Amino acid sequence: MTTEEQLTTSIELGQLIGRVEKFKKEGYRLVQVNCTKIGEVYEINYSFDKDFVFRNLRITVTGETEVPSISGMYWGAFVYENEMHDLFGIQVKGMNIDFKGNFIRTSIRYPFGAAIPKGEQP
Amino acid sequence: MTKQIIIPFGPQHPVLPEPIHLDLVLEDEMVVEAIPSIGYIHRGFEKLVEKREFTEYVYVAERTCGICSFIHGLTYCQGIEEIMKVEVPERALYLRTIWSEYSRLHSHLLWLGLFADSFGFENLFMNAWRIRERILDVMEQTTGGRVIQGSCKIGGVRRDINGEKLAQMSKDLDSIQQELEELTNVFLRDASIKHRLKNVGVLSRDDAYSLGAAGPTARGSGVAIDLRKTGYAAYGKLNFQPAVESDGDCYARCMVRCRELFTSIDLIQQAIRKIPDGPTDVKVTGAPDGEYFTRSEQPRGELVHYLKGNGTKFLVRSRIRTPTLTNIPPLVKMLQGCELADVPVIVLSIDPCISCTER
Amino acid sequence: MAFFEMAKTALRTVLSRPATIRYPFEPAKKTLLTRGHVTIDESKCISCGTCQRKCPAQAILLNKEEKTWQIDRLRCVVCNSCIDTCPVKCLFMDTQYTAPVVSRGVDIITITYVKPVKAADKGEAQG
């Protein structure tokens, strides 16, 4: 078994832009951004990689918090941020390409975010 | 200033059987901007993880994609094994490697066929798929499924391949290799194909890296990211070099995939020679508690599964980041400044698999 | 630059037999391991319900009162999960795919398994 060392750093929302910028300067590439709903809060992971060294930044936000976009540093981040918005209902501020909820069109609004009312389940 | 018009491309397009929609902003015949949108077939697989036990979710994870299904299953199993600290037997790791490489062969041949079709070379398309059929036959003979192999499970593999069959597979690969040489020679040498692909959809090395391109799209632009080099499954014990080209155009991406076919054959041959005897699975008890980002190399690039368990039989979150999703931003960059007639070829050159992108 | 690179392959294909099978006049390819459809030996099933619980597609429904085992062939994803987990190995994988259908429906099989009675109360059971 080849265990990969994965360092996860939990940071404050305000530090996010600064830390991502540092990664960008050091030449890391953006692997993925993902969101996990844990109870009432959302955990957002930003993963970076450089020469197979995996680093992970984590912020924890509530549903109402506006998250700043990192698409200024990583142009390609718009796919993840739009996805996060469309599936979880996280508001992302300042995306370079903002689809306004039309990137992934779902029949139920924010399907992974708010609990789905029982009657609407297929 | 020339008048701008918008042409919708997809979700139904003859060259691409999968639903991606691109709004192409044109000035005359030149694309100035492309705006992608997906979401036509979002299936919510990631949500299903809360309703299925983690042992059964293997079957669901595998069905994420119809082309690289084995690698999805493998990646998921690897993640759970990592969280639960399961030691997988050597033989199972080698078998996983063999099946992964067969998947890669079949996926690349499928792509070569579709790519030939996209620039109008029907005959080549048929030939690529004829060879692919022989790969699929081996898959079916060893796992029971042509497309959905279903031979991976947490703690090992569900089926063993006996020595006799392995020897026969190795012999078959020799003849497949000859056929592949003939096929790839057409792709790489033929004057008309070269003319169609050279300098089309150029992606520079810097763009490829900073936009997060993965797999052959990145390697075609000179970025040597190949997750197999991290040594998951049995890759750490096999000797290979990832194929890297530096031109960054459609021809380079085609060349990378052609060369990878031979790398895959070589890897399978090495694995067949080195495979140890022993058990193929271990019993797994308990439930995963913890989280892990598991990564592997799909035919299309880097695949990331994020798994988070809370000690019950149901995982909290499974997130599948497929290579096509990360290849969309580079695609948008490639399309800027190309001719309208080149759009289908460029879109296909990243090997889009929209269905698996949408999970 | 090369021209007519394809000519050799094309010529050989023209002169050789077709690579495809003339289905349905010839039977489709099958291997020993091909996953076609799930079958049950109804005389061995002990109605434990493991297959129903372990089915990722929820295609199997076991009714303990009526002693029936039913499967929705259109829901079944032929993953082999039930066969692997069956404690008495009464489920099998047939290599034949199911025939096409025009409407949804379930296959209902009545379980004929009878619990073997112990030697001591054998006479009572017969009487």
Side-chain angles (χ1 to χ4, degrees):
Chain A
M1 194 166 64
T2 50
T3 308
E4 200 182 19
E5 199 204 339
Q6 301 187 334
L7 201 74
T8 302
T9 330
S10 290
I11 55 164
E12 295 291 317
L13 183 63
Q15 291 175 295
L16 178 70
I17 295 292
R19 293 296 290 265
V20 173
E21 212 152 35
K22 208 172 143 217
F23 273 123
K24 174 80 184 175
K25 280 210 186 93
E26 286 169 12
Y28 279 80
R29 75 191 161 89
L30 181 70
V31 175
Q32 62 104 28
V33 178
N34 90 343
C35 184
T36 311
K37 186 171 189 273
I38 298 168
E40 287 305 304
V41 294
Y42 298 87
E43 224 179 61
I44 305 177
N45 293 308
Y46 294 83
S47 313
F48 302 89
D49 173 288
K50 185 189 176 186
D51 302 329
F52 307 132
V53 177
F54 193 86
R55 291 287 172 269
N56 199 19
L57 291 179
R58 173 171 299 168
I59 54 170
T60 311
V61 296
T62 56
E64 290 80 45
T65 324
E66 264 201 347
V67 179
S69 166
I70 61 160
S71 55
M73 281 84 76
Y74 290 96
W75 193 83
F78 74 89
V79 284
Y80 307 113
E81 288 176 346
N82 276 294
E83 190 192 23
M84 205 152 78
H85 172 263
D86 294 356
L87 296 182
F88 288 90
I90 304 276
Q91 302 298 325
V92 187
K93 200 166 59 185
M95 278 188 271
N96 53 358
I97 305 179
D98 194 346
F99 287 85
K100 299 196 166 51
N102 286 319
F103 186 61
I104 296 177
R105 293 157 213 195
T106 48
S107 54
I108 304 167
R109 218 165 120 92
Y110 310 143
F112 288 17
I116 307 162
K118 269 244 161 78
E120 285 178 35
Q121 271 182 2
Chain B
M1 198 190 130
T2 15
K3 203 177 143 202
Q4 288 193 338
I5 51 163
I6 297 176
I7 290 193
F9 176 94
Q12 298 289 329
H13 193 273
V15 79
L16 195 69
E18 293 199 81
I20 182 170
H21 174 85
L22 292 164
D23 281 317
L24 303 170
V25 182
L26 299 186
E27 271 176 18
D28 292 335
E29 288 275 301
M30 177 97 88
V31 179
V32 277
E33 205 184 354
I35 302 161
S37 69
I38 54 173
Y40 293 91
I41 37 166
H42 196 272
R43 292 164 292 171
F45 269 13
E46 293 174 347
K47 194 80 180 161
L48 200 59
V49 81
E50 297 163 17
K51 302 261 171 64
R52 298 283 183 275
E53 286 178 21
F54 71 96
T55 43
E56 283 144 41
Y57 192 73
V58 185
Y59 306 113
V60 181
E62 252 170 15
R63 280 160 178 80
T64 309
C65 183
I67 306 171
C68 35
S69 89
F70 184 79
I71 303 182
H72 272 288
L74 164 99
T75 315
Y76 173 78
C77 291
Q78 238 171 227
I80 296 286
E81 283 153 10
E82 199 71 47
I83 296 173
M84 298 176 72
K85 304 272 173 266
V86 177
E87 200 68 44
V88 183
E90 279 279 282
R91 190 174 174 86
L93 292 178
Y94 272 91
L95 286 171
R96 283 178 179 183
T97 311
I98 291 173
W99 280 317
S100 296
E101 287 312 311
Y102 266 102
S103 298
R104 198 179 314 278
L105 275 176
H106 122 72
S107 173
H108 279 353
L109 279 167
L110 175 125
W111 178 84
L112 284 171
L114 291 176
F115 197 49
D117 193 39
S118 82
F119 52 70
F121 207 148
E122 288 274 336
N123 197 343
L124 199 54
F125 158 67
M126 295 288 180
N127 268 300
W129 280 40
R130 186 178 58 188
I131 304 173
R132 173 174 171 261
E133 195 60 31
R134 294 183 61 184
I135 308 282
L136 287 179
D137 282 350
V138 177
M139 295 268 229
E140 189 171 356
Q141 283 155 12
T142 52
T143 67
R146 267 166 64 89
V147 177
I148 308 284
Q149 278 77 38
S151 51
C152 214
K153 74 169 181 187
I154 294 163
V157 290
R158 291 162 85 196
R159 292 189 192 285
D160 198 0
I161 311 179
N162 60 29
E164 208 178 307
K165 181 71 199 163
L166 282 172
Q168 195 203 330
M169 275 156 67
S170 161
K171 222 173 110 196
D172 272 357
L173 280 176
D174 287 337
S175 79
I176 289 175
Q177 182 157 5
Q178 276 176 5
E179 283 185 37
L180 283 179
E181 263 158 26
E182 213 169 275
L183 180 85
T184 50
N185 278 346
V186 183
F187 273 101
L188 300 179
R189 290 200 202 145
D190 194 274
S192 57
I193 296 178
K194 255 187 169 170
H195 190 242
R196 184 78 185 89
L197 303 179
K198 276 271 182 193
N199 297 320
V200 171
V202 180
L203 182 71
S204 70
R205 190 184 184 285
D206 290 345
D207 273 352
Y209 189 77
S210 65
L211 296 179
T217 314
R219 291 196 285 274
S221 297
V223 183
I225 304 172
D226 192 325
L227 265 289
R228 286 178 287 180
K229 275 284 169 200
T230 57
Y232 69 90
Y235 288 112
K237 298 175 192 86
L238 305 174
N239 179 26
F240 76 103
Q241 276 311 316
V244 182
E245 293 292 326
S246 57
D247 290 349
D249 53 5
C250 287
Y251 182 75
R253 289 189 278 277
C254 180
M255 182 115 114
V256 166
R257 290 188 174 96
C258 288
R259 282 173 52 194
E260 275 183 13
L261 289 172
F262 298 106
T263 317
S264 291
I265 290 188
D266 184 46
L267 278 170
I268 299 170
Q269 298 280 30
Q270 284 184 42
I272 289 175
R273 273 200 301 276
K274 285 187 183 168
I275 190 165
D277 284 330
T280 55
D281 62 334
V282 286
K283 205 168 156 51
V284 177
T285 49
D289 190 3
E291 59 182 339
Y292 194 69
F293 290 89
T294 154
R295 305 193 288 164
S296 67
E297 183 75 14
Q298 254 199 344
R300 284 166 190 75
E302 176 193 33
L303 169 74
V304 183
H305 275 232
Y306 169 65
L307 304 165
K308 190 180 176 79
N310 59 356
T312 62
K313 283 205 175 307
F314 302 95
L315 294 180
V316 179
R317 175 92 165 115
S318 140
R319 192 253 202 267
I320 306 169
R321 200 233 53 194
T322 57
T324 309
L325 187 66
T326 188
N327 274 336
I328 288 176
L331 172 69
V332 172
K333 264 274 145 71
M334 276 181 233
L335 287 173
Q336 285 170 2
C338 77
E339 296 282 320
L340 177 63
D342 292 337
V343 172
V345 179
I346 296 174
V347 171
L348 226 80
S349 76
I350 68 157
D351 198 357
C353 182
I354 307 301
S355 304
C356 80
T357 303
E358 306 219 18
R359 287 97 56 202
Chain C
M1 285 282 182
F3 295 91
F4 297 106
E5 195 64 45
M6 187 71 188
K8 197 177 131 202
T9 319
L11 254 178
R12 205 179 48 234
T13 338
V14 167
L15 298 173
S16 60
R17 291 183 53 210
T20 44
I21 298 171
R22 291 183 68 238
Y23 184 81
F25 306 106
E26 278 175 51
K29 275 186 296 194
K30 270 196 297 199
T31 67
L32 287 172
L33 291 178
T34 303
R35 298 198 301 271
H37 71 277
V38 182
T39 53
I40 182 169
D41 182 351
E42 63 269 26
S43 63
K44 269 165 57 189
C45 175
I46 55 165
S47 312
C48 67
T50 311
C51 48
Q52 181 185 339
R53 282 195 304 279
K54 294 284 175 190
C55 179
Q58 302 176 329
I60 299 174
L61 187 69
L62 184 98
N63 193 324
K64 284 187 184 171
E65 276 88 58
E66 291 171 24
K67 295 202 92 179
T68 55
W69 182 87
Q70 69 177 52
I71 182 165
D72 187 340
R73 299 277 180 211
L74 295 180
R75 276 196 85 101
C76 174
V77 292
V78 211
C79 64
N80 228 29
S81 169
C82 48
I83 294 155
D84 286 353
T85 50
C86 182
V88 289
K89 302 280 165 243
C90 72
L91 293 167
F92 304 97
M93 186 55 80
D94 197 298
T95 54
Q96 187 65 45
Y97 296 124
T98 40
V101 288
V102 289
S103 62
R104 283 194 161 268
V106 288
D107 282 6
I108 303 176
I109 290 142
T110 312
I111 298 164
T112 56
Y113 172 79
V114 185
K115 200 174 175 184
V117 276
K118 284 186 192 132
D121 46 37
K122 207 172 181 180
E124 206 179 302
Q126 276 167 352

